[in-house]
Amino acid sequence: MKTLINYIAILCLAMASCKKEGPLNANMDNFNIDSFKPGPTDEWLTKEYLDPFNIEVLYRWDRYQLSLAKDLVPPLESKVIPAMETVKSIWLSPYLTVAGKEFIKPYAPKQIVLIGSAEYNNDGTITLGTADAGRRINLFIINSFQKSNTANVEQMMHTIHHEFGHILHQNSPIPPDFPRISPEYAANWTASVNTANEAKRLGFVSRYSRSNDNEDFVEMIAFLLVEGQDWFDAYVNTTADPGKSRLRQKEQMIVNYFKMAYNINFRKLQAEVKASFDRETGRITTFAANLARNTYSKMTVAKSAENQSAAFTTAYTSAAAAVKTASASLTLADQFELRFGTVVGKPIATLVMPVKNGSTNEEWFYNYKVTVVGDKVTFVPDNTITGVETDKGTKYRPQLKPLLDIIEQASTAAFLSPENLTKGSFKGSVNTSSYFNGTLIR
């Protein structure tokens, strides 16, 4: 006890002897670590985002803006302007053109935060973007951005259109009928049973769409705008019901939602996003590429259509005469169809030739595997394809040979013109004066 008392006495004496009074005039300048001065990047962001749209783009690292439980990397300043140029071109400008500045100012996020890396999650997935309370969008993986990499741009633009879709439905609710179209939502969307094919079969545009109705809704928006209508049509055309009809219902509901909630013509917005994307990246959507991924259900080809080659119309006339010679009761129609599909994921086509046989109508079928290499397309006869009639077509193949030779020649596939993507043309790779065109039906 004596020891404790002595210790307290000594401590009190020491404290008393250290007491000193005086003004607090320490110079703290050396401890101010914030030496930031706006540079060219900041001036560009102010001019392009903050001043015209009241959107603050944050790229200078502030760890407390983000989850402290995740390992994240700051963005490289060299990536900031290229990334935000692309964001403006493919996201902001299309909305500005179609909906106007009066739409952008109240609904655009007030902050866009750039993060260099992805955010890695415990379930093995990564976070590419988030939308916080309708006021802020976080964009990850900025350090990997390359404007020349189309897939890279698609990923980033898919993320921002997805997150902006969340902001839109947070301001105007999702139609109540939307979740009823595909009710098979799965809390654990990463489960192995939720394969891409299973999600597609049920009418979801991605595996992630199955997580809940909000994600389903904004994934539809992002895919339709960024991957585009050609991609979506190909996705729909390569599945069966119920998925096929469900996806079309969702598509129409998205179109209606934009009109009713925001008075936005979604099809015009789609066209603006596509045009901006193509300008920004040099992406070209070709007829051959669409054919390879089964974008179209069929192509109608008329003998007398404008811009048919003389070689094609002459061959068509010769084939019709040969058929008539073989049987006087047969009259070849002046129009046929190429119907497109897939077998085991590979494109196929069926030539459907309408024929009048006396007073009855019939159809002759010729089946093909379709090979696509770049813009070169060849229809390779294949009678092993099952599910369609081939007997009559096989019997009269010799009479139709002049016409079939043109259809089956190695061809260059292209749109009839860059301005008209509803007309496709097949021109002989060797004999370029031999070609035909038709109307494309999705």
Side-chain angles (χ1 to χ4, degrees):
M1 185 70 178
K2 179 179 178 182
T3 302
L4 177 60
I5 293 172
N6 289 340
Y7 176 77
I8 293 174
I10 292 170
L11 179 62
C12 291
L13 181 62
M15 292 178 66
S17 65
C18 290
K19 183 178 180 181
K20 183 178 180 181
E21 294 183 358
L24 296 176
N25 57 359
N27 183 354
M28 301 298 292
D29 288 348
N30 293 331
F31 298 94
N32 184 4
I33 61 174
D34 187 3
S35 58
F36 162 67
K37 293 182 180 179
T41 299
D42 306 280
E43 292 169 3
W44 186 90
L45 292 172
T46 298
K47 177 184 175 183
E48 299 295 331
Y49 279 88
L50 187 59
D51 287 348
F53 306 113
N54 197 28
I55 299 173
E56 182 183 25
V57 180
L58 302 177
Y59 72 94
R60 295 185 180 276
W61 198 234
D62 182 351
R63 195 63 182 84
Y64 295 99
Q65 291 275 357
L66 305 161
S67 172
L68 296 177
K70 302 290 185 180
D71 291 329
L72 299 170
V73 173
L76 297 171
E77 186 171 352
S78 62
K79 298 287 186 176
V80 173
I81 291 180
M84 295 312 297
E85 281 177 337
T86 304
V87 167
K88 183 179 180 183
S89 175
I90 304 177
W91 166 63
L92 196 55
S93 293
Y95 273 102
L96 189 63
T97 299
V98 176
K101 206 166 186 177
E102 64 277 7
F103 168 83
I104 294 296
K105 282 202 169 181
Y107 294 114
K110 299 310 167 195
Q111 286 185 331
I112 298 176
V113 180
L114 306 183
I115 303 98
S117 62
E119 183 178 274
Y120 293 87
N121 305 313
N122 294 332
D123 59 4
T125 64
I126 63 173
T127 297
L128 301 177
T130 57
D132 296 340
R135 310 307 291 169
R136 185 174 83 172
I137 287 178
N138 297 325
L139 281 180
F140 296 81
I141 323 187
I142 291 298
N143 291 352
S144 299
F145 179 77
Q146 293 182 44
K147 194 177 291 190
S148 60
N149 186 327
T150 300
N152 189 248
V153 176
E154 279 186 352
Q155 182 186 64
M156 189 177 77
M157 296 316 304
H158 184 104
T159 299
I160 197 162
H161 277 284
H162 174 111
E163 299 305 335
F164 188 56
H166 279 308
I167 291 176
L168 294 180
H169 78 68
Q170 287 163 7
N171 282 277
S172 183
I174 292 172
D177 288 339
F178 185 86
R180 301 180 187 128
I181 298 174
S182 296
E184 299 91 349
Y185 294 107
N188 183 15
W189 69 271
T190 62
S192 59
V193 294
N194 182 34
T195 63
N197 284 337
E198 177 64 5
K200 187 177 184 179
R201 184 186 72 82
L202 295 171
F204 294 95
V205 78
S206 68
R207 292 178 67 211
Y208 185 51
S209 297
R210 286 193 69 185
S211 57
N212 59 62
D213 58 334
N214 288 345
E215 302 302 338
D216 188 13
F217 191 74
V218 300
E219 278 287 88
M220 282 291 298
I221 293 172
F223 273 105
L224 282 165
L225 290 178
V226 179
E227 280 76 1
Q229 192 65 41
D230 288 342
W231 181 95
F232 184 77
D233 287 340
Y235 186 84
V236 173
N237 290 342
T238 51
T239 191
D241 284 329
K244 190 171 190 175
S245 60
R246 288 178 173 186
L247 286 162
R248 289 301 183 192
Q249 289 179 62
K250 291 180 183 180
E251 175 189 14
Q252 189 58 51
M253 198 164 287
I254 293 293
V255 173
N256 294 342
Y257 170 84
F258 270 74
K259 183 64 177 176
M260 297 298 294
Y262 296 105
N263 196 29
I264 291 175
N265 184 321
F266 188 78
R267 297 307 185 191
K268 287 185 177 179
L269 182 63
Q270 257 188 318
E272 287 294 328
V273 171
K274 180 186 182 303
S276 297
F277 197 111
D278 292 351
R279 283 195 305 269
E280 195 75 11
T281 65
R283 179 183 70 176
I284 299 174
T285 305
T286 67
F287 174 34
N290 285 339
L291 197 64
R293 61 187 185 182
N294 200 34
T295 298
Y296 312 107
S297 60
K298 64 183 178 181
M299 177 182 185
T300 60
V301 181
K303 173 186 175 182
S304 59
E306 187 179 3
N307 297 321
Q308 302 292 28
S309 69
F312 175 77
T313 55
T314 298
Y316 209 135
T317 301
S318 297
V323 168
K324 178 66 72 175
T325 299
S327 176
S329 63
L330 298 176
T331 302
L332 211 62
D334 286 340
Q335 178 171 301
F336 63 83
E337 289 182 353
L338 286 167
R339 295 177 185 169
F340 303 115
T342 58
V343 170
V344 196
K346 302 295 185 181
I348 63 169
T350 298
L351 166 61
V352 183
M353 177 62 73
V355 180
K356 193 170 186 64
N357 188 352
S359 60
T360 63
N361 296 317
E362 60 188 40
E363 292 178 329
W364 298 348
F365 298 86
Y366 300 85
N367 298 317
Y368 300 96
K369 288 181 180 176
V370 183
T371 65
V372 182
V373 180
D375 61 353
K376 301 297 188 292
V377 175
T378 306
F379 294 95
V380 181
D382 189 344
N383 288 331
T384 66
I385 298 172
T386 59
V388 295
E389 182 181 358
T390 59
D391 291 345
K392 293 186 178 70
T394 301
K395 179 179 179 180
Y396 289 100
R397 173 174 274 277
Q399 285 74 27
L400 292 182
K401 187 176 186 303
L403 180 60
L404 296 179
D405 283 347
I406 292 180
I407 295 171
E408 295 168 7
Q409 68 181 334
S411 300
T412 300
F415 292 115
L416 198 58
S417 72
E419 294 77 28
N420 189 350
L421 305 186
T422 64
K423 297 277 190 180
S425 173
F426 294 100
K427 177 181 288 188
S429 299
V430 177
N431 182 5
T432 57
S433 64
S434 175
Y435 54 86
F436 65 96
N437 66 78
T439 300
L440 300 167
I441 310 297
R442 296 185 183 276

